[in-house]
Amino acid sequence: MTTKSDVESVKILPSNNQDITSEVPKLLLCSSITSVSDPGSNEGITSLAGIGNEYSELNWYYLYLSNKEMKRYVSVFSGRKAVKLRAPSGAIEDRFFCFKVFSYTATDHKKRFEQCAYTKEEYAIRRDAARAVKDAFAADSAEKLNTLTDGKDIVGNGWLFVCAPLEQLELILSAMLPRQYLVTDYNTHRAAVIPQSQMEEFIYLYESMPYNIELLSRPLEAYLQKKQRIRITGGVFSGKEGCIMRLHRNTRLVFAFGNMTVAVSYLHAFPFEKVE
């Protein structure tokens, strides 16, 4: 249950060092340039859990990191490396955290496009990846989900998504140098939030069908003008609202993901209704 104190505990975070430039499909530059966020993206924060546990029923936050920093923060957030924190006594101690993490880089996405082969072997790889995502979320296991990121050869700058209590994320970020910041929401000026269900959708689609996703570089309102707004009524995107448009000769569903903009192809696979 969300409490008033939980919502008020979210602090305003700077959004510098969040720029990304690339011609390949990518995430929105930063939530600070969009004013249309996905419904539920900035709900209150759930109660905190203890250090060293796997955290369930928490929202996801994200930050933009260089390639070197990406690998470093993945190790810290997934519990493989300790972070040095000052204890109440004044002594410096090593503390371990175990959060769910997922990394995305434009380089990795481009590589998946280039290496995509329409073969039985490729189909088997994507099928196994989809099963691994489903199993990880069904088991609510940080260890299983983090293997998707641990197994990557992370190349290039990109985005690190982390599911953790906001208070502990701020504690870790303030203790590590150079200082990194969570992406903030344009409207609330609080840390931008991606609910669990949305993050599961994104990871599932990215791991199983990366060639069906395009992460757009403009805010959602830029695509809503003079477009028919629709609502998905079935499947994993049930309740999702967005617009229908043609991109690269294919009909896409364009919608907000947290404070980002995502286009998914093969819209005919999802039942939908028009929104007046």
Side-chain angles (χ1 to χ4, degrees):
M1 178 180 297
T2 302
T3 63
K4 181 178 180 181
S5 60
D6 289 329
V7 176
E8 292 176 345
S9 66
V10 184
K11 299 179 181 178
I12 298 175
L13 297 177
S15 58
N16 58 330
N17 297 327
Q18 303 295 336
D19 292 331
I20 176 173
T21 56
S22 176
E23 296 301 322
V24 299
K26 55 184 178 294
L27 294 179
L28 190 63
L29 300 183
C30 177
S31 63
S32 62
I33 67 171
T34 180
S35 58
V36 177
S37 59
D38 197 37
S41 296
N42 294 285
E43 295 175 349
I45 310 306
T46 57
S47 57
L48 303 184
I51 292 179
N53 297 323
E54 295 182 1
Y55 303 92
S56 61
E57 301 195 2
L58 297 168
N59 292 311
W60 290 72
Y61 305 91
Y62 53 105
L63 59 162
Y64 180 73
L65 299 169
S66 66
N67 177 246
K68 181 179 180 181
E69 291 298 298
M70 175 79 75
K71 296 177 180 178
R72 177 185 174 210
Y73 276 82
V74 166
S75 296
V76 169
F77 288 147
S78 61
R80 298 201 309 270
K81 289 186 179 180
V83 58
K84 294 186 180 297
L85 298 175
R86 186 177 298 276
S89 63
I92 302 297
E93 60 181 18
D94 289 341
R95 293 172 64 179
F96 289 86
F97 296 80
C98 183
F99 302 140
K100 297 174 184 176
V101 298
F102 187 78
S103 66
Y104 169 91
T105 70
T107 302
D108 177 65
H109 199 171
K110 181 179 180 181
K111 183 168 59 177
R112 294 188 182 209
F113 273 89
E114 294 173 342
Q115 296 180 353
C116 176
Y118 294 96
T119 62
K120 291 183 179 180
E121 291 75 14
E122 177 68 18
Y123 175 80
I125 291 173
R126 293 301 151 207
R127 180 195 59 201
D128 293 342
R131 184 180 296 117
V133 174
K134 287 295 184 182
D135 290 346
F137 276 97
D140 194 24
S141 170
E143 181 180 359
K144 288 185 176 182
L145 184 63
N146 292 350
T147 57
L148 297 173
T149 296
D150 293 340
K152 293 178 184 176
D153 180 17
I154 301 177
V155 179
N157 307 333
W159 300 85
L160 178 61
F161 301 89
V162 55
C163 181
L166 180 61
E167 181 178 293
Q168 293 185 7
L169 277 180
E170 291 178 335
L171 180 65
I172 296 172
L173 293 175
S174 64
M176 297 178 66
L177 297 175
R179 179 70 157 93
Q180 304 293 336
Y181 297 96
L182 298 173
V183 172
T184 55
D185 180 76
Y186 177 84
N187 290 323
T188 64
H189 302 293
R190 296 171 175 166
V193 172
I194 301 176
Q196 281 270 22
S197 59
Q198 293 179 30
M199 198 66 211
E200 182 175 357
E201 294 167 1
F202 172 73
I203 296 176
Y204 177 84
L205 287 173
Y206 184 68
E207 290 295 326
S208 61
M209 299 177 290
Y211 28 80
N212 288 350
I213 297 178
E214 185 167 356
L215 306 177
L216 306 177
S217 59
R218 292 196 291 169
L220 179 62
E221 64 249 32
Y223 303 96
L224 290 178
Q225 299 175 9
K226 300 180 180 181
K227 301 293 182 181
Q228 174 62 56
R229 195 177 185 94
I230 61 109
R231 180 185 300 113
I232 300 298
T233 58
V236 295
F237 290 111
S238 180
K240 183 75 65 181
E241 293 186 9
C243 65
I244 300 174
M245 62 180 296
R246 288 187 65 83
L247 289 172
H248 312 305
R249 300 182 181 180
N250 192 0
T251 301
R252 308 288 186 96
L253 167 64
V254 177
F255 61 90
F257 167 64
N259 293 99
M260 304 175 189
T261 309
V262 179
V264 179
S265 58
Y266 297 102
L267 178 64
H268 58 269
F270 302 99
F272 64 89
E273 61 184 9
K274 294 181 180 181
V275 177
E276 300 298 334

